[in-house]
mmCIF file of all heavy atoms in Angstrom:
data_model
loop_
_atom_site.group_PDB
_atom_site.id
_atom_site.type_symbol
_atom_site.label_atom_id
_atom_site.label_comp_id
_atom_site.label_asym_id
_atom_site.label_seq_id
_atom_site.Cartn_x
_atom_site.Cartn_y
_atom_site.Cartn_z
ATOM 1 N N SER B 108 6.813 -17.363 11.363
ATOM 2 C CA SER B 108 7.120 -16.164 12.162
ATOM 3 C C SER B 108 8.465 -16.280 12.892
ATOM 4 O O SER B 108 8.977 -15.285 13.384
ATOM 5 C CB SER B 108 5.997 -15.900 13.166
ATOM 6 O OG SER B 108 5.949 -16.943 14.115
ATOM 7 N N GLU B 109 9.025 -17.490 12.961
ATOM 8 C CA GLU B 109 10.405 -17.626 13.468
ATOM 9 C C GLU B 109 11.361 -16.665 12.791
ATOM 10 O O GLU B 109 12.388 -16.283 13.353
ATOM 11 C CB GLU B 109 10.957 -19.020 13.119
ATOM 12 C CG GLU B 109 10.548 -20.155 13.954
ATOM 13 C CD GLU B 109 11.143 -21.445 13.377
ATOM 14 O OE1 GLU B 109 12.360 -21.658 13.518
ATOM 15 O OE2 GLU B 109 10.366 -22.227 12.763
ATOM 16 N N TYR B 110 11.049 -16.357 11.512
ATOM 17 C CA TYR B 110 11.985 -15.541 10.738
ATOM 18 C C TYR B 110 11.559 -14.081 10.656
ATOM 19 O O TYR B 110 11.956 -13.360 9.752
ATOM 20 C CB TYR B 110 12.186 -16.164 9.339
ATOM 21 C CG TYR B 110 12.438 -17.648 9.423
ATOM 22 C CD1 TYR B 110 11.692 -18.557 8.691
ATOM 23 C CD2 TYR B 110 13.410 -18.138 10.300
ATOM 24 C CE1 TYR B 110 11.904 -19.926 8.824
ATOM 25 C CE2 TYR B 110 13.626 -19.502 10.437
ATOM 26 C CZ TYR B 110 12.866 -20.398 9.700
ATOM 27 O OH TYR B 110 13.076 -21.742 9.837
ATOM 28 N N PHE B 111 10.712 -13.646 11.565
ATOM 29 C CA PHE B 111 10.431 -12.212 11.682
ATOM 30 C C PHE B 111 11.297 -11.696 12.836
ATOM 31 O O PHE B 111 11.053 -12.070 13.986
ATOM 32 C CB PHE B 111 8.968 -11.926 12.053
ATOM 33 C CG PHE B 111 7.938 -12.527 11.131
ATOM 34 C CD1 PHE B 111 6.612 -12.624 11.551
ATOM 35 C CD2 PHE B 111 8.255 -12.967 9.849
ATOM 36 C CE1 PHE B 111 5.628 -13.156 10.720
ATOM 37 C CE2 PHE B 111 7.279 -13.504 9.016
ATOM 38 C CZ PHE B 111 5.966 -13.602 9.456
ATOM 39 N N PRO B 112 12.260 -10.853 12.571
ATOM 40 C CA PRO B 112 13.160 -10.427 13.658
ATOM 41 C C PRO B 112 12.567 -9.325 14.539
ATOM 42 O O PRO B 112 13.162 -8.258 14.709
ATOM 43 C CB PRO B 112 14.394 -9.945 12.880
ATOM 44 C CG PRO B 112 13.852 -9.458 11.583
ATOM 45 C CD PRO B 112 12.645 -10.306 11.268
ATOM 46 N N PHE B 113 11.394 -9.604 15.056
ATOM 47 C CA PHE B 113 10.718 -8.635 15.924
ATOM 48 C C PHE B 113 10.048 -9.412 17.048
ATOM 49 O O PHE B 113 9.198 -10.260 16.794
ATOM 50 C CB PHE B 113 9.659 -7.857 15.137
ATOM 51 C CG PHE B 113 10.218 -7.118 13.949
ATOM 52 C CD1 PHE B 113 10.105 -7.652 12.674
ATOM 53 C CD2 PHE B 113 10.889 -5.915 14.116
ATOM 54 C CE1 PHE B 113 10.642 -6.992 11.572
ATOM 55 C CE2 PHE B 113 11.428 -5.242 13.019
ATOM 56 C CZ PHE B 113 11.308 -5.785 11.752
ATOM 57 N N ASP B 114 10.435 -9.146 18.269
ATOM 58 C CA ASP B 114 9.874 -9.897 19.392
ATOM 59 C C ASP B 114 8.754 -9.168 20.109
ATOM 60 O O ASP B 114 7.874 -9.796 20.686
ATOM 61 C CB ASP B 114 10.979 -10.271 20.384
ATOM 62 C CG ASP B 114 11.829 -11.382 19.818
ATOM 63 O OD1 ASP B 114 11.251 -12.381 19.345
ATOM 64 O OD2 ASP B 114 13.063 -11.239 19.796
ATOM 65 N N SER B 115 8.804 -7.863 20.111
ATOM 66 C CA SER B 115 7.651 -7.128 20.619
ATOM 67 C C SER B 115 7.657 -5.726 20.054
ATOM 68 O O SER B 115 8.682 -5.236 19.558
ATOM 69 C CB SER B 115 7.632 -7.100 22.150
ATOM 70 O OG SER B 115 8.650 -6.251 22.623
ATOM 71 N N LEU B 116 6.508 -5.113 20.110
ATOM 72 C CA LEU B 116 6.331 -3.742 19.626
ATOM 73 C C LEU B 116 5.540 -3.003 20.690
ATOM 74 O O LEU B 116 4.489 -3.477 21.132
ATOM 75 C CB LEU B 116 5.579 -3.778 18.297
ATOM 76 C CG LEU B 116 5.301 -2.449 17.602
ATOM 77 C CD1 LEU B 116 5.254 -2.670 16.089
ATOM 78 C CD2 LEU B 116 3.994 -1.835 18.057
ATOM 79 N N SER B 117 6.076 -1.875 21.134
ATOM 80 C CA SER B 117 5.379 -1.083 22.154
ATOM 81 C C SER B 117 5.121 0.317 21.639
ATOM 82 O O SER B 117 5.924 0.875 20.895
ATOM 83 C CB SER B 117 6.223 -0.971 23.424
ATOM 84 O OG SER B 117 6.423 -2.236 23.989
ATOM 85 N N LEU B 118 4.017 0.863 22.082
ATOM 86 C CA LEU B 118 3.646 2.210 21.688
ATOM 87 C C LEU B 118 3.333 3.000 22.925
ATOM 88 O O LEU B 118 2.636 2.504 23.810
ATOM 89 C CB LEU B 118 2.332 2.170 20.889
ATOM 90 C CG LEU B 118 2.374 1.380 19.617
ATOM 91 C CD1 LEU B 118 0.961 1.013 19.213
ATOM 92 C CD2 LEU B 118 3.048 2.220 18.553
ATOM 93 N N LYS B 119 3.819 4.214 22.973
ATOM 94 C CA LYS B 119 3.344 5.103 24.020
ATOM 95 C C LYS B 119 2.293 6.013 23.397
ATOM 96 O O LYS B 119 2.557 6.699 22.410
ATOM 97 C CB LYS B 119 4.499 5.918 24.588
ATOM 98 C CG LYS B 119 4.123 6.626 25.858
ATOM 99 C CD LYS B 119 5.348 7.060 26.625
ATOM 100 C CE LYS B 119 4.958 8.026 27.716
ATOM 101 N NZ LYS B 119 6.001 9.037 27.913
ATOM 102 N N VAL B 120 1.103 5.951 23.965
ATOM 103 C CA VAL B 120 -0.013 6.702 23.393
ATOM 104 C C VAL B 120 -0.708 7.499 24.487
ATOM 105 O O VAL B 120 -0.594 7.157 25.662
ATOM 106 C CB VAL B 120 -1.036 5.749 22.731
ATOM 107 C CG1 VAL B 120 -0.388 4.925 21.629
ATOM 108 C CG2 VAL B 120 -1.687 4.837 23.760
ATOM 109 N N PRO B 121 -1.419 8.543 24.093
ATOM 110 C CA PRO B 121 -2.131 9.328 25.112
ATOM 111 C C PRO B 121 -3.267 8.522 25.731
ATOM 112 O O PRO B 121 -3.966 7.786 25.028
ATOM 113 C CB PRO B 121 -2.712 10.511 24.331
ATOM 114 C CG PRO B 121 -2.193 10.425 22.948
ATOM 115 C CD PRO B 121 -1.572 9.093 22.746
ATOM 116 N N SER B 122 -3.436 8.653 27.014
ATOM 117 C CA SER B 122 -4.612 8.037 27.614
ATOM 118 C C SER B 122 -5.796 8.977 27.393
ATOM 119 O O SER B 122 -5.633 10.175 27.137
ATOM 120 C CB SER B 122 -4.380 7.773 29.102
ATOM 121 O OG SER B 122 -3.910 8.931 29.730
ATOM 122 N N VAL B 123 -6.978 8.427 27.467
ATOM 123 C CA VAL B 123 -8.184 9.191 27.141
ATOM 124 C C VAL B 123 -8.269 10.430 28.023
ATOM 125 O O VAL B 123 -8.081 10.357 29.235
ATOM 126 C CB VAL B 123 -9.441 8.303 27.290
ATOM 127 C CG1 VAL B 123 -10.710 9.133 27.132
ATOM 128 C CG2 VAL B 123 -9.403 7.183 26.264
#
Side-chain angles (χ1 to χ4, degrees):
Chain B
S108 66
E109 281 177 74
Y110 313 127
F111 305 164
F113 302 100
D114 286 311
S115 72
L116 181 150
S117 297
L118 299 160
K119 192 162 167 215
V120 301
S122 51
V123 173

